[in-house]
Amino acid sequence: MSETSPGQPIPIELPPSLTARRIDDIAHLRLSRPAKRNALDNATIDGLLTFFTRLPGDIRAVILSGDGDHFCAGLDLSAVVEHHDPRDGIAHSQSWHRAFDSIRFGKVPVISVLKGAVIGGGLEVAVSTHIRVAERSAYYGLPEGQRGIFLGGGGSVRITRLIGVDRVQDMMLTGRTLQSGEAHAMGVSQYLVDDGAGLARAQELATRIAANSPMTNFAVIQALPRIADTDASNGLFTESLMAAIAQTSPEAKRRLADFLEGRAAKVKPGS
Ligand code: 1HE
C-alpha cells in the first residue's frame, strides 16, 4: 500500500486530516495534513479515537503513517488554548489518553511507519502503536520544555518505560533529538529500514500479523502489557487465565492439529 494506493474506503467519518483505506483485512490510516507536518489538532485526536473504536470487525491489522516527509510534528501549537482552570487542561490531556489508549488497547495490532520528524505528541502516538518501523530519516524530539508545556499524550508513562526516565529527562531538558539509529538501539523502533521502504515493510509485517489467531493477537495487545505492568503474582494468574482462554478456542485446536499433522509452517531462523 502506498500513499496513492487505491484500496477501498472505510466507512468511518473522519476529519480531513485523516485518511483511511483498506486492502483486504488490513487498514491503512494516514495522518494527511502534510502542510502542517501532520500536527495533531483536536479534530485529529477525536478522529483517531473514532477510527480505532469503530474499526470494522473484519480488519486484522492497521498501518499508521504520515503523508509528506514527516510522520508528525506533535501537538498543533496554533490550536493550544489557554486553560485557566487546571481541570480543563486535565480534560484535554485525558482526551489524548483516550485516543492513544484506543490504539494501544484497541481491537487489533497497529504498525506505525516513522520518518522525518517524530516530535512530542508524534512520539506519543508512535509509542502507542505496537510495532514501529522507522525509516532512516526519522528523528525524535521532545521540545515541550522549549514550548513551556509538558507531555500530555501518555509519554510520561510510555516513552519513559521504553527508553528510561533519564533519557526522557535529557531530551526534555536539553532539547536533544535522537537520530533513527541511536533511537533504534534504545528500542524506539523494532525495525529500521531505508528511506521509502517503510510502508512495504509495514505491509509485510501486517500480513504476517493478520495471519495469526485473532485471539492470540488480542491477548498480545490487551493482556501482555497489563501483565508486564502488574506484580508477579497477579501477572502469573492473569497469564494463566489468558492462556486458558486462548488454548480452549476452536482455532487453537485447529492450528495445533495443523502443526502436528505436518500442514503448518515450521519456525525458521531469520524469519
Ligand atoms: C505546525 C507545527 C506544530 C509545524 N503545530 N503548526 N511540536 C513542535 O514543537 C514541533 C514544531 N515544528 C517544527 O519544529 C518543524 O515544523 C518541523 C521540524 C516539524 C518541520 O520543519 P519544516 O521546515 O519541514 O516545516 P515548517 O516550515 O516549520 O512548518 C510547515 C508548516 O507547518 C508551518 O506553517 P505555515 O503556515 O507557516 O506553512 C508551521 O507553522 C506548521 N507546523 N509544526 C502547528 N506542531 C499533548 S502534549 C504534546 C506536546 C507536544 O507535542 S510538544 C511538540 C510540539
mmCIF file of all heavy atoms in Angstrom, residues 93-136:
data_model
loop_
_atom_site.group_PDB
_atom_site.id
_atom_site.type_symbol
_atom_site.label_atom_id
_atom_site.label_comp_id
_atom_site.label_asym_id
_atom_site.label_seq_id
_atom_site.Cartn_x
_atom_site.Cartn_y
_atom_site.Cartn_z
ATOM 1 N N SER A 93 -5.753 16.708 28.181
ATOM 2 C CA SER A 93 -4.765 15.620 28.200
ATOM 3 C C SER A 93 -5.466 14.260 28.196
ATOM 4 O O SER A 93 -5.061 13.334 27.481
ATOM 5 C CB SER A 93 -3.873 15.768 29.442
ATOM 6 O OG SER A 93 -3.053 14.657 29.614
ATOM 7 N N GLN A 94 -6.551 14.161 28.955
ATOM 8 C CA GLN A 94 -7.264 12.875 29.014
ATOM 9 C C GLN A 94 -7.913 12.516 27.680
ATOM 10 O O GLN A 94 -8.063 11.335 27.364
ATOM 11 C CB GLN A 94 -8.311 12.899 30.140
ATOM 12 C CG GLN A 94 -7.637 12.814 31.512
ATOM 13 C CD GLN A 94 -8.614 12.961 32.663
ATOM 14 O OE1 GLN A 94 -9.675 13.581 32.514
ATOM 15 N NE2 GLN A 94 -8.258 12.417 33.813
ATOM 16 N N SER A 95 -8.243 13.531 26.870
ATOM 17 C CA SER A 95 -8.795 13.209 25.545
ATOM 18 C C SER A 95 -7.698 12.569 24.679
ATOM 19 O O SER A 95 -7.977 11.683 23.869
ATOM 20 C CB SER A 95 -9.391 14.455 24.873
ATOM 21 O OG SER A 95 -8.369 15.333 24.442
ATOM 22 N N TRP A 96 -6.456 13.001 24.850
ATOM 23 C CA TRP A 96 -5.334 12.360 24.152
ATOM 24 C C TRP A 96 -5.135 10.940 24.693
ATOM 25 O O TRP A 96 -4.889 10.012 23.937
ATOM 26 C CB TRP A 96 -4.046 13.174 24.345
ATOM 27 C CG TRP A 96 -3.968 14.398 23.487
ATOM 28 C CD1 TRP A 96 -4.890 15.398 23.397
ATOM 29 C CD2 TRP A 96 -2.909 14.748 22.587
ATOM 30 N NE1 TRP A 96 -4.455 16.345 22.505
ATOM 31 C CE2 TRP A 96 -3.253 15.988 22.002
ATOM 32 C CE3 TRP A 96 -1.699 14.154 22.246
ATOM 33 C CZ2 TRP A 96 -2.430 16.631 21.071
ATOM 34 C CZ3 TRP A 96 -0.878 14.789 21.322
ATOM 35 C CH2 TRP A 96 -1.245 16.009 20.737
ATOM 36 N N HIS A 97 -5.227 10.795 26.013
ATOM 37 C CA HIS A 97 -5.065 9.446 26.590
ATOM 38 C C HIS A 97 -6.088 8.482 26.008
ATOM 39 O O HIS A 97 -5.762 7.347 25.654
ATOM 40 C CB HIS A 97 -5.212 9.493 28.120
ATOM 41 C CG HIS A 97 -4.128 10.259 28.808
ATOM 42 N ND1 HIS A 97 -4.226 10.685 30.104
ATOM 43 C CD2 HIS A 97 -2.923 10.688 28.367
ATOM 44 C CE1 HIS A 97 -3.123 11.346 30.441
ATOM 45 N NE2 HIS A 97 -2.318 11.362 29.397
ATOM 46 N N ARG A 98 -7.338 8.945 25.930
ATOM 47 C CA ARG A 98 -8.395 8.066 25.387
ATOM 48 C C ARG A 98 -8.084 7.684 23.944
ATOM 49 O O ARG A 98 -8.207 6.516 23.555
ATOM 50 C CB ARG A 98 -9.762 8.775 25.447
ATOM 51 C CG ARG A 98 -10.480 8.586 26.762
ATOM 52 C CD ARG A 98 -11.944 9.020 26.656
ATOM 53 N NE ARG A 98 -12.088 10.435 26.329
ATOM 54 C CZ ARG A 98 -12.001 11.436 27.209
ATOM 55 N NH1 ARG A 98 -11.784 11.165 28.484
ATOM 56 N NH2 ARG A 98 -12.152 12.685 26.832
ATOM 57 N N ALA A 99 -7.661 8.678 23.154
ATOM 58 C CA ALA A 99 -7.381 8.397 21.736
ATOM 59 C C ALA A 99 -6.220 7.404 21.604
ATOM 60 O O ALA A 99 -6.285 6.438 20.833
ATOM 61 C CB ALA A 99 -7.053 9.695 20.998
ATOM 62 N N PHE A 100 -5.166 7.624 22.374
ATOM 63 C CA PHE A 100 -3.985 6.762 22.221
ATOM 64 C C PHE A 100 -4.208 5.390 22.880
ATOM 65 O O PHE A 100 -3.663 4.389 22.431
ATOM 66 C CB PHE A 100 -2.732 7.457 22.769
ATOM 67 C CG PHE A 100 -2.344 8.703 21.993
ATOM 68 C CD1 PHE A 100 -1.295 9.503 22.403
ATOM 69 C CD2 PHE A 100 -3.038 9.088 20.845
ATOM 70 C CE1 PHE A 100 -0.938 10.648 21.691
ATOM 71 C CE2 PHE A 100 -2.694 10.237 20.125
ATOM 72 C CZ PHE A 100 -1.639 11.023 20.556
ATOM 73 N N ASP A 101 -5.043 5.365 23.934
ATOM 74 C CA ASP A 101 -5.418 4.064 24.511
ATOM 75 C C ASP A 101 -6.233 3.250 23.516
ATOM 76 O O ASP A 101 -6.187 2.015 23.521
ATOM 77 C CB ASP A 101 -6.243 4.244 25.796
ATOM 78 C CG ASP A 101 -5.361 4.338 27.034
ATOM 79 O OD1 ASP A 101 -4.122 4.310 26.887
ATOM 80 O OD2 ASP A 101 -5.908 4.450 28.145
ATOM 81 N N SER A 102 -7.004 3.944 22.659
ATOM 82 C CA SER A 102 -7.801 3.204 21.671
ATOM 83 C C SER A 102 -6.889 2.547 20.634
ATOM 84 O O SER A 102 -7.293 1.614 19.945
ATOM 85 C CB SER A 102 -8.839 4.115 20.996
ATOM 86 O OG SER A 102 -8.242 4.960 20.031
ATOM 87 N N ILE A 103 -5.658 3.047 20.536
ATOM 88 C CA ILE A 103 -4.656 2.395 19.674
ATOM 89 C C ILE A 103 -3.990 1.268 20.467
ATOM 90 O O ILE A 103 -3.969 0.112 20.055
ATOM 91 C CB ILE A 103 -3.594 3.422 19.224
ATOM 92 C CG1 ILE A 103 -4.233 4.538 18.401
ATOM 93 C CG2 ILE A 103 -2.461 2.721 18.469
ATOM 94 C CD1 ILE A 103 -3.280 5.667 18.018
ATOM 95 N N ARG A 104 -3.468 1.627 21.629
ATOM 96 C CA ARG A 104 -2.669 0.682 22.424
ATOM 97 C C ARG A 104 -3.485 -0.529 22.876
ATOM 98 O O ARG A 104 -3.000 -1.653 22.893
ATOM 99 C CB ARG A 104 -2.115 1.427 23.657
ATOM 100 C CG ARG A 104 -1.096 0.654 24.456
ATOM 101 C CD ARG A 104 0.165 0.499 23.658
ATOM 102 N NE ARG A 104 1.196 -0.246 24.357
ATOM 103 C CZ ARG A 104 2.281 -0.719 23.751
ATOM 104 N NH1 ARG A 104 2.471 -0.543 22.473
ATOM 105 N NH2 ARG A 104 3.194 -1.376 24.424
ATOM 106 N N PHE A 105 -4.724 -0.243 23.309
ATOM 107 C CA PHE A 105 -5.592 -1.322 23.801
ATOM 108 C C PHE A 105 -6.805 -1.470 22.899
ATOM 109 O O PHE A 105 -7.937 -1.610 23.358
ATOM 110 C CB PHE A 105 -6.016 -1.044 25.248
ATOM 111 C CG PHE A 105 -4.859 -1.032 26.218
ATOM 112 C CD1 PHE A 105 -4.474 0.136 26.843
ATOM 113 C CD2 PHE A 105 -4.143 -2.193 26.481
ATOM 114 C CE1 PHE A 105 -3.394 0.153 27.728
ATOM 115 C CE2 PHE A 105 -3.065 -2.184 27.364
ATOM 116 C CZ PHE A 105 -2.693 -1.009 27.983
ATOM 117 N N GLY A 106 -6.562 -1.397 21.594
ATOM 118 C CA GLY A 106 -7.654 -1.479 20.634
ATOM 119 C C GLY A 106 -7.972 -2.903 20.242
ATOM 120 O O GLY A 106 -7.649 -3.860 20.949
ATOM 121 N N LYS A 107 -8.600 -3.030 19.071
ATOM 122 C CA LYS A 107 -9.068 -4.348 18.645
ATOM 123 C C LYS A 107 -7.976 -5.170 17.989
ATOM 124 O O LYS A 107 -8.004 -6.394 18.032
ATOM 125 C CB LYS A 107 -10.217 -4.156 17.651
ATOM 126 C CG LYS A 107 -11.428 -3.442 18.227
ATOM 127 C CD LYS A 107 -12.453 -3.180 17.121
ATOM 128 C CE LYS A 107 -13.668 -2.454 17.667
ATOM 129 N NZ LYS A 107 -14.618 -2.091 16.605
ATOM 130 N N VAL A 108 -7.053 -4.474 17.312
ATOM 131 C CA VAL A 108 -6.047 -5.208 16.519
ATOM 132 C C VAL A 108 -4.680 -4.530 16.639
ATOM 133 O O VAL A 108 -4.596 -3.350 16.990
ATOM 134 C CB VAL A 108 -6.449 -5.258 15.020
ATOM 135 C CG1 VAL A 108 -7.752 -6.006 14.816
ATOM 136 C CG2 VAL A 108 -6.512 -3.873 14.410
ATOM 137 N N PRO A 109 -3.616 -5.260 16.310
ATOM 138 C CA PRO A 109 -2.283 -4.648 16.345
ATOM 139 C C PRO A 109 -2.142 -3.501 15.333
ATOM 140 O O PRO A 109 -2.724 -3.542 14.252
ATOM 141 C CB PRO A 109 -1.355 -5.812 15.973
ATOM 142 C CG PRO A 109 -2.133 -7.042 16.325
ATOM 143 C CD PRO A 109 -3.556 -6.700 16.043
ATOM 144 N N VAL A 110 -1.347 -2.508 15.733
ATOM 145 C CA VAL A 110 -1.129 -1.321 14.901
ATOM 146 C C VAL A 110 0.372 -1.165 14.648
ATOM 147 O O VAL A 110 1.185 -1.239 15.579
ATOM 148 C CB VAL A 110 -1.676 -0.049 15.590
ATOM 149 C CG1 VAL A 110 -1.490 1.168 14.684
ATOM 150 C CG2 VAL A 110 -3.153 -0.226 15.948
ATOM 151 N N ILE A 111 0.706 -0.964 13.391
ATOM 152 C CA ILE A 111 2.110 -0.796 12.981
ATOM 153 C C ILE A 111 2.273 0.635 12.490
ATOM 154 O O ILE A 111 1.534 1.062 11.599
ATOM 155 C CB ILE A 111 2.446 -1.746 11.810
ATOM 156 C CG1 ILE A 111 2.132 -3.186 12.205
ATOM 157 C CG2 ILE A 111 3.889 -1.600 11.382
ATOM 158 C CD1 ILE A 111 2.087 -4.109 11.012
ATOM 159 N N SER A 112 3.217 1.370 13.046
ATOM 160 C CA SER A 112 3.436 2.733 12.551
ATOM 161 C C SER A 112 4.675 2.773 11.672
ATOM 162 O O SER A 112 5.625 2.004 11.866
ATOM 163 C CB SER A 112 3.565 3.727 13.714
ATOM 164 O OG SER A 112 4.535 3.305 14.637
ATOM 165 N N VAL A 113 4.647 3.682 10.709
ATOM 166 C CA VAL A 113 5.783 3.895 9.804
ATOM 167 C C VAL A 113 6.312 5.290 10.089
ATOM 168 O O VAL A 113 5.615 6.279 9.859
ATOM 169 C CB VAL A 113 5.326 3.789 8.333
ATOM 170 C CG1 VAL A 113 6.523 3.995 7.409
ATOM 171 C CG2 VAL A 113 4.671 2.442 8.066
ATOM 172 N N LEU A 114 7.527 5.370 10.613
ATOM 173 C CA LEU A 114 8.068 6.644 11.092
ATOM 174 C C LEU A 114 9.119 7.178 10.127
ATOM 175 O O LEU A 114 9.974 6.438 9.655
ATOM 176 C CB LEU A 114 8.681 6.437 12.488
ATOM 177 C CG LEU A 114 7.767 5.721 13.486
ATOM 178 C CD1 LEU A 114 8.480 5.522 14.826
ATOM 179 C CD2 LEU A 114 6.458 6.475 13.684
ATOM 180 N N LYS A 115 9.034 8.483 9.877
ATOM 181 C CA LYS A 115 10.036 9.132 9.025
ATOM 182 C C LYS A 115 10.108 10.596 9.412
ATOM 183 O O LYS A 115 9.155 11.134 10.008
ATOM 184 C CB LYS A 115 9.651 8.999 7.557
ATOM 185 C CG LYS A 115 8.348 9.670 7.212
ATOM 186 C CD LYS A 115 8.008 9.485 5.749
ATOM 187 C CE LYS A 115 6.550 9.812 5.535
ATOM 188 N NZ LYS A 115 6.099 9.655 4.177
ATOM 189 N N GLY A 116 11.209 11.253 9.098
ATOM 190 C CA GLY A 116 11.336 12.674 9.396
ATOM 191 C C GLY A 116 11.049 12.958 10.866
ATOM 192 O O GLY A 116 11.434 12.187 11.755
ATOM 193 N N ALA A 117 10.341 14.070 11.097
ATOM 194 C CA ALA A 117 10.075 14.483 12.476
ATOM 195 C C ALA A 117 9.047 13.582 13.152
ATOM 196 O O ALA A 117 7.973 13.331 12.615
ATOM 197 C CB ALA A 117 9.568 15.931 12.477
ATOM 198 N N VAL A 118 9.442 13.097 14.317
ATOM 199 C CA VAL A 118 8.526 12.339 15.189
ATOM 200 C C VAL A 118 8.658 13.053 16.538
ATOM 201 O O VAL A 118 9.515 12.726 17.357
ATOM 202 C CB VAL A 118 8.937 10.859 15.289
ATOM 203 C CG1 VAL A 118 7.921 10.074 16.121
ATOM 204 C CG2 VAL A 118 9.099 10.229 13.902
ATOM 205 N N ILE A 119 7.833 14.075 16.714
ATOM 206 C CA ILE A 119 8.112 15.052 17.765
ATOM 207 C C ILE A 119 6.953 15.153 18.754
ATOM 208 O O ILE A 119 5.780 15.180 18.345
ATOM 209 C CB ILE A 119 8.391 16.431 17.128
ATOM 210 C CG1 ILE A 119 9.686 16.358 16.284
ATOM 211 C CG2 ILE A 119 8.500 17.513 18.169
ATOM 212 C CD1 ILE A 119 10.059 17.658 15.611
ATOM 213 N N GLY A 120 7.296 15.249 20.041
ATOM 214 C CA GLY A 120 6.287 15.499 21.075
ATOM 215 C C GLY A 120 5.153 14.494 20.991
ATOM 216 O O GLY A 120 5.350 13.275 21.108
ATOM 217 N N GLY A 121 3.954 15.016 20.744
ATOM 218 C CA GLY A 121 2.780 14.141 20.614
ATOM 219 C C GLY A 121 2.919 13.143 19.475
ATOM 220 O O GLY A 121 2.257 12.105 19.486
ATOM 221 N N GLY A 122 3.769 13.457 18.505
ATOM 222 C CA GLY A 122 4.022 12.496 17.421
ATOM 223 C C GLY A 122 4.724 11.258 17.943
ATOM 224 O O GLY A 122 4.425 10.125 17.541
ATOM 225 N N LEU A 123 5.656 11.474 18.888
ATOM 226 C CA LEU A 123 6.326 10.328 19.512
ATOM 227 C C LEU A 123 5.350 9.607 20.455
ATOM 228 O O LEU A 123 5.370 8.373 20.565
ATOM 229 C CB LEU A 123 7.579 10.808 20.257
ATOM 230 C CG LEU A 123 8.435 9.751 20.937
ATOM 231 C CD1 LEU A 123 8.809 8.599 20.000
ATOM 232 C CD2 LEU A 123 9.710 10.379 21.514
ATOM 233 N N GLU A 124 4.472 10.380 21.089
ATOM 234 C CA GLU A 124 3.496 9.742 21.986
ATOM 235 C C GLU A 124 2.542 8.830 21.212
ATOM 236 O O GLU A 124 2.216 7.731 21.669
ATOM 237 C CB GLU A 124 2.717 10.808 22.765
ATOM 238 C CG GLU A 124 3.599 11.551 23.767
ATOM 239 C CD GLU A 124 2.849 12.617 24.539
ATOM 240 O OE1 GLU A 124 2.210 13.486 23.907
ATOM 241 O OE2 GLU A 124 2.888 12.591 25.781
ATOM 242 N N VAL A 125 2.110 9.279 20.030
ATOM 243 C CA VAL A 125 1.219 8.409 19.255
ATOM 244 C C VAL A 125 2.010 7.212 18.726
ATOM 245 O O VAL A 125 1.518 6.079 18.712
ATOM 246 C CB VAL A 125 0.466 9.180 18.137
ATOM 247 C CG1 VAL A 125 1.363 9.613 17.015
ATOM 248 C CG2 VAL A 125 -0.665 8.350 17.559
ATOM 249 N N ALA A 126 3.269 7.443 18.344
ATOM 250 C CA ALA A 126 4.085 6.336 17.819
ATOM 251 C C ALA A 126 4.271 5.235 18.870
ATOM 252 O O ALA A 126 4.155 4.045 18.556
ATOM 253 C CB ALA A 126 5.448 6.856 17.357
ATOM 254 N N VAL A 127 4.556 5.635 20.111
ATOM 255 C CA VAL A 127 4.795 4.607 21.133
ATOM 256 C C VAL A 127 3.494 3.970 21.630
ATOM 257 O O VAL A 127 3.531 3.036 22.427
ATOM 258 C CB VAL A 127 5.640 5.119 22.330
ATOM 259 C CG1 VAL A 127 7.006 5.591 21.863
ATOM 260 C CG2 VAL A 127 4.918 6.204 23.111
ATOM 261 N N SER A 128 2.369 4.472 21.158
ATOM 262 C CA SER A 128 1.095 3.797 21.437
ATOM 263 C C SER A 128 0.857 2.659 20.457
ATOM 264 O O SER A 128 -0.011 1.819 20.687
ATOM 265 C CB SER A 128 -0.072 4.782 21.340
ATOM 266 O OG SER A 128 0.138 5.857 22.206
ATOM 267 N N THR A 129 1.580 2.664 19.336
ATOM 268 C CA THR A 129 1.429 1.574 18.370
ATOM 269 C C THR A 129 2.286 0.393 18.835
ATOM 270 O O THR A 129 3.198 0.554 19.647
ATOM 271 C CB THR A 129 1.829 2.021 16.949
ATOM 272 O OG1 THR A 129 3.226 2.293 16.889
ATOM 273 C CG2 THR A 129 1.049 3.260 16.531
ATOM 274 N N HIS A 130 1.985 -0.778 18.302
ATOM 275 C CA HIS A 130 2.632 -1.991 18.820
ATOM 276 C C HIS A 130 3.947 -2.295 18.120
ATOM 277 O O HIS A 130 4.869 -2.839 18.717
ATOM 278 C CB HIS A 130 1.662 -3.172 18.689
ATOM 279 C CG HIS A 130 0.344 -2.868 19.334
ATOM 280 N ND1 HIS A 130 -0.748 -2.417 18.634
ATOM 281 C CD2 HIS A 130 -0.012 -2.876 20.634
ATOM 282 C CE1 HIS A 130 -1.740 -2.183 19.461
ATOM 283 N NE2 HIS A 130 -1.333 -2.447 20.684
ATOM 284 N N ILE A 131 4.002 -1.972 16.843
ATOM 285 C CA ILE A 131 5.229 -2.191 16.067
ATOM 286 C C ILE A 131 5.570 -0.874 15.391
ATOM 287 O O ILE A 131 4.709 -0.244 14.775
ATOM 288 C CB ILE A 131 5.007 -3.268 14.963
ATOM 289 C CG1 ILE A 131 4.436 -4.570 15.536
ATOM 290 C CG2 ILE A 131 6.299 -3.491 14.182
ATOM 291 C CD1 ILE A 131 5.420 -5.517 16.120
ATOM 292 N N ARG A 132 6.829 -0.478 15.526
ATOM 293 C CA ARG A 132 7.265 0.759 14.871
ATOM 294 C C ARG A 132 8.354 0.431 13.853
ATOM 295 O O ARG A 132 9.386 -0.145 14.203
ATOM 296 C CB ARG A 132 7.778 1.756 15.929
ATOM 297 C CG ARG A 132 6.662 2.290 16.824
ATOM 298 C CD ARG A 132 7.166 3.029 18.032
ATOM 299 N NE ARG A 132 7.908 2.164 18.936
ATOM 300 C CZ ARG A 132 7.341 1.319 19.811
ATOM 301 N NH1 ARG A 132 6.027 1.222 19.923
ATOM 302 N NH2 ARG A 132 8.104 0.544 20.573
ATOM 303 N N VAL A 133 8.071 0.808 12.594
ATOM 304 C CA VAL A 133 9.046 0.661 11.516
ATOM 305 C C VAL A 133 9.581 2.064 11.244
ATOM 306 O O VAL A 133 8.824 2.944 10.845
ATOM 307 C CB VAL A 133 8.383 0.113 10.233
ATOM 308 C CG1 VAL A 133 9.397 0.023 9.104
ATOM 309 C CG2 VAL A 133 7.739 -1.252 10.494
ATOM 310 N N ALA A 134 10.864 2.283 11.492
ATOM 311 C CA ALA A 134 11.434 3.615 11.284
ATOM 312 C C ALA A 134 12.254 3.630 10.005
ATOM 313 O O ALA A 134 13.048 2.718 9.755
ATOM 314 C CB ALA A 134 12.307 4.008 12.469
ATOM 315 N N GLU A 135 12.045 4.674 9.210
ATOM 316 C CA GLU A 135 12.959 4.909 8.088
ATOM 317 C C GLU A 135 14.149 5.704 8.636
ATOM 318 O O GLU A 135 14.044 6.365 9.674
ATOM 319 C CB GLU A 135 12.224 5.679 6.980
ATOM 320 C CG GLU A 135 11.091 4.848 6.396
ATOM 321 C CD GLU A 135 10.462 5.460 5.143
ATOM 322 O OE1 GLU A 135 10.813 6.602 4.780
ATOM 323 O OE2 GLU A 135 9.613 4.766 4.530
ATOM 324 N N ARG A 136 15.264 5.643 7.897
ATOM 325 C CA ARG A 136 16.495 6.268 8.418
ATOM 326 C C ARG A 136 16.345 7.763 8.642
ATOM 327 O O ARG A 136 17.038 8.356 9.467
ATOM 328 C CB ARG A 136 17.664 5.980 7.473
ATOM 329 C CG ARG A 136 18.010 4.508 7.515
ATOM 330 C CD ARG A 136 19.380 4.148 7.014
ATOM 331 N NE ARG A 136 19.493 2.692 7.039
ATOM 332 C CZ ARG A 136 19.861 1.988 8.097
ATOM 333 N NH1 ARG A 136 20.212 2.607 9.217
ATOM 334 N NH2 ARG A 136 19.900 0.680 8.049
#
